[in-house]
Amino acid sequence: MSDDRFFSRREIVAALTFVVLGTAIGVTSYRAGLNIAGANAGAVVAASTKPAPPNGQTLYAGNCAGCHGAQAQGGVGPSLAETKGWALADFAEAVLNGHAPGGRTLSTVMPHFADTGLDGAPPTDDQIKALHEYIKGL
Ligand code: HEC
């Protein structure tokens, strides 16, 4: 009779396993959900705390291509072919403050990205470097 009233050891283990797994899955999904909600637009859901390195192509497309052309061939702004040979510091000075090598001041049509920001945020050295590398590869 007692066998009818109590669960077998196997049934208990199965039930416990089910509860533990269910809880684990629930907690993991919940935390993944929090990550998605808290992440900035475009950020990848990841446990890593290190931000992704800047993407020169994305930066160029979003901030420069409209004037300099998709391939930096020129448009409203000049072709950036010559820029490929510039040192990073010269490139940065042109992009951030509108000063070209040799003391030349660029027309104000070219934004001063130190003031306007890249994608709405103050430019970082890594972003300028990523842009320079990307343009050199075009
Ligand atoms: C609103 C249009 C516009 C945007 C956006 C723009 N530029 Fe320019 N840029 C210009 C113009 C116009 C010049 C030429 C200014 C001059 O020669 O006086 C120029 C000049 C330059 C020069 C100097 C080129 C040379 O040979 O003298 C560099 C380098 C440059 N831009 C890079 C960039 C980068 C990188 C971006 C994006 C982060 C960008 N520009 C965004 C219009 C723009």
Side-chain angles (χ1 to χ4, degrees):
M1 275 303 192
S2 62
D3 278 357
D4 293 338
R5 288 220 299 266
F6 296 106
F7 293 109
S8 73
R9 178 182 286 259
R10 279 185 61 180
E11 284 168 334
I12 292 170
V13 168
L16 280 177
T17 307
F18 183 75
V19 169
V20 168
L21 274 181
T23 308
I25 291 168
V27 168
T28 310
S29 318
Y30 176 69
R31 292 177 66 172
L34 284 186
N35 275 347
I36 292 167
N40 290 325
V44 180
V45 176
S48 161
T49 53
K50 209 175 164 201
N55 182 320
Q57 182 173 15
T58 310
L59 286 169
Y60 184 82
N63 298 278
C64 324
C67 287
H68 290 282
Q71 298 299 314
Q73 77 276 22
V76 174
S79 155
L80 296 178
E82 194 192 312
T83 309
K84 297 179 186 183
W86 291 4
L88 176 59
D90 290 336
F91 175 80
E93 189 54 21
V95 175
L96 294 173
N97 302 311
H99 300 141
R104 186 163 53 96
T105 300
L106 298 177
S107 100
T108 51
V109 179
M110 167 66 189
H112 292 185
F113 285 94
D115 302 330
T116 63
L118 286 170
D119 294 331
T124 65
D125 290 350
D126 283 349
Q127 285 178 319
I128 298 297
K129 195 168 174 210
L131 269 173
H132 196 212
E133 290 303 321
Y134 177 70
I135 290 168
K136 283 199 278 188
L138 287 175

